[in-house]
Coordinates of all heavy atoms in Angstrom, one line a residue:
M269 N -18.5 6.2 10.6 CA -17.8 6.4 9.2 C -17.4 5.0 8.6 O -17.0 4.1 9.4 CB -16.5 7.2 9.3 CG -15.7 7.4 8.0 SD -14.1 8.3 8.2 CE -14.6 9.9 8.7
S270 N -17.8 4.7 7.4 CA -17.6 3.5 6.8 C -16.1 3.1 6.7 O -15.3 4.1 6.6 CB -18.4 3.3 5.5 OG -17.7 4.1 4.5
L271 N -15.9 1.9 6.4 CA -14.5 1.4 6.2 C -13.9 2.1 4.9 O -12.8 2.6 4.9 CB -14.4 -0.1 6.1 CG -13.1 -0.7 5.8 CD1 -12.0 -0.3 6.8 CD2 -13.1 -2.2 5.7
E272 N -14.8 2.1 3.9 CA -14.3 2.7 2.7 C -13.9 4.3 2.8 O -13.0 4.7 2.3 CB -15.3 2.5 1.5 CG -14.8 2.8 0.1 CD -15.5 2.1 -0.9 OE1 -16.0 0.9 -0.7 OE2 -15.6 2.6 -2.1
A273 N -14.7 4.9 3.6 CA -14.6 6.3 3.7 C -13.2 6.5 4.6 O -12.4 7.4 4.3 CB -15.7 7.0 4.5
K274 N -13.0 5.7 5.6 CA -11.7 5.8 6.4 C -10.5 5.4 5.5 O -9.5 6.1 5.6 CB -11.8 4.7 7.5 CG -12.7 5.0 8.7 CD -12.7 4.0 9.7 CE -13.7 4.2 10.8 NZ -13.8 3.1 11.8
F275 N -10.7 4.4 4.7 CA -9.6 4.1 3.7 C -9.4 5.2 2.7 O -8.2 5.6 2.6 CB -10.1 2.9 2.9 CG -9.2 2.5 1.7 CD1 -8.0 1.8 2.0 CD2 -9.4 2.8 0.5 CE1 -7.1 1.4 1.1 CE2 -8.5 2.4 -0.6 CZ -7.4 1.8 -0.3
N276 N -10.2 5.9 2.2 CA -10.1 7.0 1.3 C -9.5 8.2 2.0 O -8.6 8.8 1.5 CB -11.4 7.5 0.6 CG -11.8 6.5 -0.4 OD1 -11.2 5.8 -1.0 ND2 -13.2 6.3 -0.6
E277 N -9.9 8.5 3.2 CA -9.3 9.5 4.1 C -7.9 9.2 4.4 O -7.0 10.1 4.3 CB -10.1 9.6 5.4 CG -9.7 10.8 6.2 CD -10.7 11.0 7.4 OE1 -11.7 11.3 7.4 OE2 -10.0 10.7 8.6
A278 N -7.5 8.0 4.7 CA -6.2 7.6 5.0 C -5.3 7.7 3.8 O -4.1 8.2 3.8 CB -6.1 6.2 5.5
A279 N -5.8 7.4 2.6 CA -5.1 7.4 1.3 C -4.8 9.0 1.0 O -3.7 9.2 0.5 CB -5.9 6.8 0.1
E280 N -5.7 9.8 1.3 CA -5.4 11.2 1.2 C -4.4 11.8 2.1 O -3.5 12.6 1.7 CB -6.8 12.0 1.3 CG -7.6 11.9 0.0 CD -6.9 12.5 -1.2 OE1 -6.3 13.5 -1.3 OE2 -7.0 11.7 -2.3
S281 N -4.5 11.3 3.4 CA -3.6 11.8 4.4 C -2.1 11.3 4.1 O -1.2 12.2 4.3 CB -4.0 11.3 5.8 OG -3.6 10.0 6.0
V282 N -1.9 10.3 3.5 CA -0.7 9.7 3.2 C 0.0 10.7 2.1 O 1.3 10.9 2.2 CB -0.7 8.2 2.6 CG1 0.6 7.9 1.8 CG2 -1.0 7.3 3.7
K283 N -0.7 11.2 1.3 CA -0.2 12.1 0.2 C 0.3 13.4 0.8 O 1.1 14.1 0.2 CB -1.3 12.5 -0.9 CG -1.7 11.3 -1.7 CD -2.9 11.7 -2.5 CE -3.5 10.6 -3.2 NZ -4.7 11.0 -4.1
N284 N -0.1 13.7 2.0 CA 0.3 15.0 2.7 C 1.3 14.9 3.8 O 1.4 15.9 4.5 CB -1.0 15.7 3.1 CG -2.0 16.1 2.1 OD1 -1.6 16.5 1.0 ND2 -3.3 15.7 2.3
F285 N 2.0 13.8 3.9 CA 3.1 13.7 4.8 C 4.1 14.6 4.6 O 4.5 15.0 3.4 CB 3.7 12.3 4.8 CG 2.9 11.2 5.4 CD1 3.3 9.9 5.2 CD2 1.7 11.5 6.0 CE1 2.5 8.8 5.8 CE2 0.9 10.4 6.6 CZ 1.4 9.1 6.5
K286 N 4.6 15.3 5.5 CA 5.7 16.3 5.5 C 7.1 15.7 5.3 O 8.0 16.2 4.6 CB 5.7 17.2 6.6 CG 4.5 18.0 6.7 CD 4.6 19.1 7.8 CE 3.4 20.0 7.9 NZ 2.1 19.8 7.3
K287 N 7.3 14.4 5.9 CA 8.6 13.7 5.6 C 8.1 12.4 4.9 O 7.1 12.0 4.8 CB 9.1 13.3 7.1 CG 9.6 14.5 7.8 CD 10.2 14.1 9.2 CE 10.5 15.2 10.0 NZ 10.9 14.8 11.4
R288 N 9.2 11.9 4.2 CA 9.0 10.7 3.4 C 9.3 9.5 4.2 O 10.2 9.3 4.9 CB 10.1 10.7 2.2 CG 9.8 9.6 1.2 CD 10.9 9.7 0.2 NE 10.8 8.7 -0.9 CZ 11.2 7.5 -0.9 NH1 11.8 7.1 0.3 NH2 11.0 6.7 -1.8
P289 N 8.3 8.6 4.2 CA 8.4 7.2 5.0 C 9.6 6.4 4.3 O 10.0 6.7 3.1 CB 7.1 6.6 4.8 CG 6.1 7.6 4.5 CD 6.9 8.7 3.6
S290 N 10.1 5.4 5.0 CA 11.1 4.5 4.5 C 10.5 3.8 3.3 O 9.3 3.7 3.0 CB 11.5 3.6 5.5 OG 10.5 2.6 5.7
D291 N 11.5 3.3 2.4 CA 11.1 2.5 1.2 C 10.2 1.3 1.7 O 9.2 1.0 1.0 CB 12.2 2.0 0.6 CG 13.0 3.1 -0.2 OD1 12.4 4.1 -0.4 OD2 14.2 2.9 -0.5
D292 N 10.5 0.6 2.8 CA 9.7 -0.6 3.2 C 8.4 -0.1 3.6 O 7.4 -0.9 3.3 CB 10.4 -1.3 4.4 CG 11.6 -2.1 3.9 OD1 11.8 -2.5 2.8 OD2 12.4 -2.4 4.8
E293 N 8.2 1.0 4.3 CA 6.9 1.5 4.6 C 6.1 1.9 3.4 O 4.9 1.6 3.4 CB 7.0 2.6 5.6 CG 7.6 2.3 7.0 CD 8.0 3.5 7.8 OE1 8.5 4.5 7.2 OE2 8.0 3.4 9.0
L294 N 6.7 2.5 2.4 CA 6.0 2.8 1.2 C 5.6 1.6 0.4 O 4.5 1.6 -0.2 CB 7.0 3.7 0.4 CG 7.2 5.2 0.9 CD1 8.2 5.8 -0.1 CD2 5.9 5.9 0.8
L295 N 6.4 0.6 0.4 CA 6.1 -0.7 -0.3 C 4.8 -1.2 0.4 O 4.0 -1.8 -0.3 CB 7.2 -1.7 -0.3 CG 8.3 -1.5 -1.4 CD1 9.4 -2.4 -1.2 CD2 7.6 -1.7 -2.7
Q296 N 4.8 -1.3 1.7 CA 3.7 -1.8 2.4 C 2.3 -1.1 2.2 O 1.3 -1.7 1.9 CB 3.9 -1.9 3.9 CG 4.9 -2.9 4.4 CD 4.4 -4.4 3.9 OE1 3.3 -4.8 4.1 NE2 5.3 -5.0 3.2
L297 N 2.5 0.2 2.1 CA 1.4 1.1 1.8 C 0.8 0.8 0.3 O -0.3 0.7 0.1 CB 1.7 2.6 2.0 CG 1.8 3.2 3.3 CD1 2.4 4.6 3.2 CD2 0.3 3.2 3.9
Y298 N 1.8 0.6 -0.5 CA 1.5 0.4 -1.9 C 0.7 -1.0 -2.1 O -0.3 -1.1 -2.7 CB 2.8 0.4 -2.8 CG 2.5 -0.1 -4.2 CD1 2.0 0.7 -5.2 CD2 2.8 -1.4 -4.5 CE1 1.8 0.3 -6.4 CE2 2.6 -2.0 -5.8 CZ 2.1 -1.1 -6.8 OH 1.8 -1.6 -8.1
A299 N 1.4 -2.0 -1.4 CA 0.9 -3.3 -1.5 C -0.6 -3.4 -0.9 O -1.5 -4.0 -1.6 CB 1.8 -4.4 -0.8
L300 N -0.8 -2.8 0.2 CA -2.1 -2.9 0.8 C -3.2 -2.1 0.0 O -4.3 -2.5 -0.2 CB -2.1 -2.3 2.2 CG -1.4 -3.2 3.2 CD1 -1.0 -2.4 4.5 CD2 -2.2 -4.5 3.5
F301 N -2.7 -0.9 -0.6 CA -3.6 0.0 -1.5 C -4.0 -0.9 -2.7 O -5.2 -0.9 -3.0 CB -2.9 1.2 -1.8 CG -3.8 2.1 -2.6 CD1 -4.7 3.0 -2.0 CD2 -3.8 2.1 -4.0 CE1 -5.5 3.9 -2.6 CE2 -4.6 2.9 -4.7 CZ -5.5 3.8 -4.0
K302 N -3.0 -1.5 -3.4 CA -3.4 -2.3 -4.5 C -4.3 -3.4 -4.2 O -5.1 -3.8 -5.0 CB -2.1 -2.7 -5.2 CG -1.3 -1.6 -5.8 CD -2.0 -0.9 -7.0 CE -1.8 -1.7 -8.2 NZ -2.5 -1.1 -9.3
Q303 N -4.1 -4.2 -3.1 CA -4.8 -5.3 -2.7 C -6.3 -4.9 -2.4 O -7.2 -5.5 -2.8 CB -4.2 -6.1 -1.5 CG -4.9 -7.4 -1.2 CD -4.7 -8.4 -2.3 OE1 -3.7 -8.4 -2.9 NE2 -5.6 -9.4 -2.2
A304 N -6.4 -3.7 -1.8 CA -7.6 -3.2 -1.4 C -8.5 -2.7 -2.7 O -9.7 -2.8 -2.6 CB -7.6 -2.0 -0.3
T305 N -7.7 -2.1 -3.6 CA -8.5 -1.6 -4.7 C -8.6 -2.5 -6.0 O -9.6 -2.5 -6.7 CB -7.8 -0.2 -5.1 OG1 -6.5 -0.5 -5.4 CG2 -7.9 0.8 -4.1
D306 N -7.5 -3.3 -6.2 CA -7.5 -4.2 -7.4 C -7.6 -5.7 -7.0 O -7.8 -6.5 -8.0 CB -6.2 -4.0 -8.2 CG -6.0 -2.6 -8.7 OD1 -7.1 -1.9 -8.8 OD2 -5.0 -2.2 -9.2
G307 N -7.5 -6.1 -5.8 CA -7.5 -7.4 -5.6 C -6.1 -8.1 -5.7 O -5.1 -7.5 -5.8
D308 N -6.2 -9.4 -5.9 CA -4.9 -10.2 -6.0 C -4.1 -9.7 -7.3 O -4.7 -9.3 -8.4 CB -5.1 -11.7 -6.2 CG -5.5 -12.3 -4.9 OD1 -5.3 -11.7 -3.8 OD2 -6.1 -13.5 -5.0
N309 N -2.8 -9.8 -7.3 CA -1.9 -9.4 -8.3 C -1.8 -10.5 -9.4 O -1.4 -11.6 -9.1 CB -0.6 -9.2 -7.7 CG 0.5 -8.7 -8.8 OD1 0.1 -8.5 -9.9 ND2 1.7 -8.3 -8.4
H310 N -2.4 -10.2 -10.5 CA -2.3 -11.1 -11.7 C -1.5 -10.5 -12.8 O -1.5 -11.0 -14.0 CB -3.7 -11.3 -12.2 CG -4.6 -12.0 -11.2 ND1 -4.3 -13.4 -10.8 CD2 -5.6 -11.7 -10.5 CE1 -5.2 -13.8 -9.9 NE2 -6.0 -12.7 -9.6
K311 N -0.7 -9.5 -12.6 CA 0.1 -8.9 -13.6 C 1.4 -9.7 -13.8 O 1.8 -10.4 -12.9 CB 0.5 -7.5 -13.3 CG -0.8 -6.6 -13.0 CD -0.4 -5.1 -13.1 CE -1.7 -4.2 -12.9 NZ -2.5 -4.1 -14.0
E312 N 2.0 -9.6 -14.9 CA 3.3 -10.3 -15.3 C 4.4 -9.6 -14.4 O 4.5 -8.4 -14.2 CB 3.6 -10.2 -16.6 CG 4.8 -11.0 -17.2 CD 4.8 -11.0 -18.7 OE1 3.8 -11.1 -19.4 OE2 6.0 -11.0 -19.1
K313 N 5.3 -10.6 -13.9 CA 6.4 -10.1 -13.1 C 7.4 -9.2 -13.9 O 7.8 -9.7 -15.1 CB 7.1 -11.3 -12.5 CG 8.2 -10.9 -11.4 CD 8.7 -12.1 -10.7 CE 9.6 -11.6 -9.6 NZ 10.1 -12.8 -8.8
P314 N 7.8 -8.0 -13.5 CA 8.7 -7.2 -14.2 C 10.1 -7.9 -14.4 O 10.4 -8.8 -13.6 CB 8.8 -5.9 -13.3 CG 7.7 -5.9 -12.4 CD 7.3 -7.4 -12.2
G315 N 10.8 -7.5 -15.4 CA 12.2 -8.1 -15.6 C 13.1 -7.7 -14.5 O 13.0 -7.0 -13.6
M316 N 14.3 -8.5 -14.6 CA 15.3 -8.3 -13.6 C 15.8 -6.9 -13.5 O 16.3 -6.5 -12.4 CB 16.4 -9.3 -14.0 CG 16.2 -10.7 -13.7 SD 17.7 -11.9 -14.1 CE 19.0 -10.8 -14.5
L317 N 15.9 -6.2 -14.4 CA 16.5 -4.9 -14.4 C 15.6 -3.8 -13.9 O 16.0 -2.7 -13.5 CB 17.0 -4.4 -15.8 CG 18.0 -5.3 -16.4 CD1 18.4 -4.9 -17.8 CD2 19.2 -5.5 -15.5
D318 N 14.3 -4.1 -13.8 CA 13.3 -3.2 -13.2 C 13.2 -3.5 -11.7 O 12.3 -4.0 -11.2 CB 11.9 -3.3 -13.9 CG 10.9 -2.3 -13.4 OD1 11.2 -1.5 -12.6 OD2 9.7 -2.5 -13.9
L319 N 14.1 -2.9 -10.9 CA 14.2 -3.2 -9.5 C 13.1 -2.6 -8.7 O 12.5 -3.4 -7.9 CB 15.5 -2.8 -9.0 CG 16.8 -3.4 -9.5 CD1 18.1 -2.8 -8.9 CD2 16.8 -4.8 -9.4
K320 N 12.7 -1.4 -9.1 CA 11.5 -0.8 -8.4 C 10.3 -1.5 -8.7 O 9.4 -1.8 -7.8 CB 11.5 0.7 -8.8 CG 10.4 1.5 -8.1 CD 10.4 2.9 -8.6 CE 9.3 3.7 -7.9 NZ 9.4 5.1 -8.4
G321 N 10.0 -1.8 -9.9 CA 8.8 -2.5 -10.4 C 8.7 -3.9 -9.7 O 7.7 -4.4 -9.4
K322 N 9.9 -4.6 -9.7 CA 9.9 -6.0 -9.1 C 9.6 -5.9 -7.6 O 8.8 -6.7 -7.2 CB 11.3 -6.5 -9.3 CG 11.4 -7.9 -8.9 CD 12.8 -8.5 -9.4 CE 13.0 -9.9 -8.8 NZ 14.3 -10.4 -9.0
A323 N 10.2 -5.0 -6.9 CA 9.8 -4.8 -5.4 C 8.4 -4.5 -5.3 O 7.8 -5.1 -4.3 CB 10.7 -3.6 -4.9
K324 N 7.7 -3.7 -5.9 CA 6.3 -3.3 -5.9 C 5.5 -4.6 -6.2 O 4.5 -4.9 -5.5 CB 6.1 -2.2 -6.8 CG 6.6 -0.8 -6.3 CD 6.4 0.2 -7.4 CE 5.1 0.8 -7.4 NZ 4.9 2.0 -8.3
W325 N 5.9 -5.2 -7.2 CA 5.1 -6.4 -7.7 C 5.1 -7.5 -6.6 O 4.1 -8.2 -6.2 CB 5.8 -7.0 -9.0 CG 5.0 -8.1 -9.6 CD1 4.0 -8.1 -10.5 CD2 5.2 -9.6 -9.3 NE1 3.5 -9.4 -10.8 CE2 4.3 -10.3 -10.0 CE3 6.1 -10.2 -8.4 CZ2 4.1 -11.7 -10.0 CZ3 5.9 -11.6 -8.4 CH2 5.0 -12.3 -9.1
E326 N 6.4 -7.7 -6.0 CA 6.6 -8.7 -5.0 C 5.8 -8.4 -3.7 O 5.2 -9.1 -3.0 CB 8.0 -9.0 -4.6 CG 8.7 -9.7 -5.8 CD 10.2 -9.8 -5.5 OE1 10.8 -9.2 -4.6 OE2 10.9 -10.6 -6.4
A327 N 5.8 -7.1 -3.3 CA 5.1 -6.6 -2.1 C 3.6 -6.8 -2.3 O 3.0 -7.3 -1.4 CB 5.4 -5.2 -1.8
W328 N 3.1 -6.6 -3.5 CA 1.6 -6.7 -3.7 C 1.3 -8.2 -3.8 O 0.3 -8.6 -3.2 CB 1.3 -6.0 -5.1 CG -0.1 -6.2 -5.4 CD1 -1.3 -6.5 -4.7 CD2 -0.7 -5.7 -6.7 NE1 -2.4 -6.5 -5.5 CE2 -2.0 -6.0 -6.6 CE3 -0.1 -5.4 -7.9 CZ2 -2.9 -5.7 -7.8 CZ3 -0.9 -5.1 -9.0 CH2 -2.4 -5.3 -8.9
S329 N 2.1 -9.0 -4.4 CA 1.9 -10.5 -4.4 C 1.9 -11.1 -3.1 O 1.2 -12.2 -2.9 CB 2.9 -11.2 -5.3 OG 2.8 -10.8 -6.7
D330 N 2.6 -10.6 -2.2 CA 2.7 -11.0 -0.8 C 1.4 -11.0 -0.1 O 1.0 -11.7 0.9 CB 3.7 -10.4 0.1 CG 5.2 -10.8 -0.3 OD1 5.3 -11.8 -0.9 OD2 6.1 -10.1 0.2
K331 N 0.5 -10.1 -0.6 CA -0.9 -9.9 0.0 C -1.9 -10.8 -0.6 O -3.1 -10.7 -0.4 CB -1.3 -8.4 -0.2 CG -0.4 -7.4 0.4 CD -0.2 -7.6 1.8 CE 0.8 -6.6 2.5 NZ 1.3 -7.0 3.7
K332 N -1.5 -11.7 -1.6 CA -2.4 -12.5 -2.3 C -3.3 -13.3 -1.3 O -2.9 -13.9 -0.3 CB -1.7 -13.6 -3.2 CG -2.6 -14.3 -4.1 CD -1.7 -15.2 -5.0 CE -2.7 -15.9 -6.0 NZ -1.9 -16.6 -7.0
G333 N -4.6 -13.3 -1.7 CA -5.6 -14.0 -0.9 C -6.3 -13.1 0.3 O -7.2 -13.6 0.9
Q334 N -5.7 -12.0 0.5 CA -6.2 -11.2 1.5 C -7.5 -10.4 0.9 O -7.4 -9.9 -0.1 CB -5.2 -10.1 1.9 CG -5.3 -9.4 3.2 CD -4.2 -8.5 3.5 OE1 -3.9 -7.5 2.9 NE2 -3.4 -8.9 4.6
S335 N -8.5 -10.4 1.7 CA -9.7 -9.8 1.2 C -9.6 -8.3 1.2 O -8.7 -7.6 1.8 CB -10.9 -10.1 2.2 OG -10.8 -9.4 3.4
K336 N -10.5 -7.6 0.4 CA -10.5 -6.2 0.3 C -10.7 -5.4 1.6 O -9.9 -4.5 1.9 CB -11.6 -5.8 -0.6 CG -11.9 -4.3 -0.9 CD -13.0 -4.1 -1.9 CE -13.2 -2.6 -2.1 NZ -14.2 -2.2 -2.9
E337 N -11.5 -6.0 2.5 CA -11.8 -5.4 3.7 C -10.6 -5.4 4.6 O -10.3 -4.5 5.4 CB -13.0 -6.0 4.4 CG -14.3 -5.7 3.7 CD -14.6 -6.5 2.4 OE1 -13.9 -7.7 2.2 OE2 -15.4 -6.1 1.6
V338 N -9.9 -6.7 4.7 CA -8.8 -6.8 5.5 C -7.7 -5.9 5.0 O -7.0 -5.3 5.9 CB -8.3 -8.3 5.5 CG1 -6.9 -8.4 6.3 CG2 -9.4 -9.2 6.2
A339 N -7.4 -5.8 3.7 CA -6.4 -4.9 3.2 C -6.7 -3.5 3.5 O -5.8 -2.7 3.9 CB -6.3 -5.1 1.7
M340 N -7.9 -3.1 3.5 CA -8.4 -1.7 3.8 C -8.1 -1.4 5.3 O -7.6 -0.3 5.6 CB -9.9 -1.5 3.5 CG -10.2 -1.2 2.0 SD -11.9 -0.8 1.9 CE -12.0 -0.3 0.3
E341 N -8.4 -2.3 6.2 CA -8.3 -2.1 7.6 C -6.8 -2.0 7.9 O -6.4 -1.2 8.7 CB -8.9 -3.3 8.4 CG -10.4 -3.2 8.4 CD -10.9 -4.5 9.0 OE1 -10.3 -5.4 9.3 OE2 -12.2 -4.6 9.1
A342 N -5.9 -2.9 7.3 CA -4.5 -2.9 7.5 C -3.9 -1.5 7.0 O -3.0 -0.9 7.5 CB -3.8 -4.0 6.9
Y343 N -4.4 -1.0 5.8 CA -3.9 0.2 5.3 C -4.2 1.4 6.1 O -3.3 2.2 6.5 CB -4.5 0.4 3.9 CG -4.1 1.7 3.2 CD1 -2.9 1.6 2.3 CD2 -4.6 2.8 3.4 CE1 -2.4 2.7 1.7 CE2 -4.2 4.0 2.8 CZ -3.1 4.0 1.8 OH -2.5 5.0 1.2
V344 N -5.4 1.4 6.7 CA -5.8 2.5 7.6 C -5.1 2.5 8.8 O -4.5 3.4 9.3 CB -7.4 2.5 7.8 CG1 -7.8 3.4 9.0 CG2 -8.2 2.7 6.7
A345 N -4.8 1.3 9.4 CA -4.0 1.2 10.6 C -2.5 1.6 10.4 O -2.0 2.4 11.2 CB -4.0 -0.2 11.1
L346 N -1.9 1.2 9.1 CA -0.5 1.6 8.9 C -0.6 3.1 8.6 O 0.4 3.8 9.1 CB 0.0 0.8 7.6 CG 1.3 1.1 7.2 CD1 2.3 0.9 8.4 CD2 1.7 0.3 6.0
A347 N -1.4 3.6 7.8 CA -1.4 5.1 7.5 C -1.6 6.0 8.8 O -0.8 6.8 9.0 CB -2.6 5.4 6.6
N348 N -2.4 5.5 9.7 CA -2.5 6.2 11.1 C -1.2 6.1 11.9 O -0.8 7.2 12.5 CB -3.7 5.6 11.8 CG -5.0 6.1 11.2 OD1 -5.1 7.0 10.5 ND2 -6.0 5.3 11.5
K349 N -0.6 5.0 11.8 CA 0.6 4.8 12.6 C 1.7 5.7 11.9 O 2.5 6.4 12.7 CB 1.1 3.3 12.5 CG 2.5 3.0 13.1 CD 2.8 1.5 13.0 CE 4.2 1.3 13.2 NZ 4.6 -0.1 12.9
L350 N 1.8 5.7 10.6 CA 2.9 6.6 9.9 C 2.6 8.1 10.0 O 3.5 8.8 10.1 CB 3.0 6.1 8.4 CG 3.5 4.7 8.2 CD1 3.5 4.4 6.7 CD2 4.8 4.4 8.8
E351 N 1.3 8.4 10.1 CA 0.9 9.7 10.2 C 1.4 10.5 11.5 O 1.9 11.6 11.4 CB -0.6 9.9 10.1 CG -1.1 11.4 10.1 CD -2.6 11.5 9.9 OE1 -3.4 10.6 10.2 OE2 -3.0 12.5 9.4
A352 N 1.4 9.7 12.5 CA 2.0 10.2 13.9 C 3.6 10.4 13.7 O 4.1 11.4 14.3 CB 1.8 9.2 14.9
R353 N 4.2 9.7 12.8 CA 5.5 9.9 12.6 C 6.0 10.9 11.5 O 7.1 11.5 11.6 CB 6.1 8.5 12.2 CG 7.4 8.2 12.8 CD 8.1 6.8 12.3 NE 7.3 5.8 13.0 CZ 7.4 4.6 12.5 NH1 8.2 4.2 11.6 NH2 6.6 3.7 13.1
Y354 N 5.2 10.9 10.5 CA 5.7 11.7 9.3 C 4.8 13.0 8.9 O 5.1 13.7 8.0 CB 5.7 10.9 8.1 CG 6.7 9.7 8.2 CD1 6.2 8.4 8.3 CD2 8.0 10.0 8.2 CE1 7.1 7.4 8.5 CE2 9.0 8.9 8.4 CZ 8.5 7.6 8.5 OH 9.4 6.6 8.7
A355 N 3.7 13.1 9.6 CA 2.7 14.2 9.2 C 3.3 15.6 9.8 O 4.1 15.7 10.7 CB 1.4 14.0 9.6

């Protein structure tokens, strides 16, 4: 199975968790997904009052410079780890 197929499968499995992961785990999943699909974050940083948007922006920005393949591998590994806990 190709890396992209594993990534897509992991992304689908995350949507079907029976329990909700912690906010930090969700932020890591989001950041890795965005890095794998969109590359480096070049969007404008949200304002001070948008706490959720700011947290997501910062998590994604922390992955800057990471290649698509490395982000996909990390996403698959994290999704598999969380699946054991939340599926």
Side-chain angles (χ1 to χ4, degrees):
M269 184 182 291
S270 72
L271 177 57
E272 195 157 330
K274 288 179 186 177
F275 175 77
N276 290 331
E277 188 177 286
E280 283 302 312
S281 74
V282 166
K283 293 177 187 176
N284 297 318
F285 286 171
K286 292 185 180 14
K287 294 180 184 174
R288 185 180 185 278
S290 72
D291 289 342
D292 287 338
E293 292 165 335
L294 288 172
L295 276 175
Q296 286 304 307
L297 284 170
Y298 171 81
L300 289 167
F301 184 86
K302 292 296 279 183
Q303 188 68 24
T305 57
D306 295 347
D308 288 344
N309 184 358
H310 295 293
K311 300 196 184 277
E312 190 172 317
K313 188 173 185 176
M316 287 181 4
L317 299 178
D318 184 2
L319 299 178
K320 182 178 178 181
K322 187 176 174 188
K324 290 168 76 173
W325 186 92
E326 288 173 352
W328 183 12
S329 289
D330 287 345
K331 305 297 180 198
K332 187 174 185 172
Q334 197 173 69
S335 73
K336 176 180 179 174
E337 292 77 19
V338 169
M340 281 184 172
E341 289 171 358
Y343 183 91
V344 169
L346 179 58
N348 288 339
K349 176 182 166 189
L350 296 178
E351 187 172 25
R353 215 180 296 165
Y354 299 110

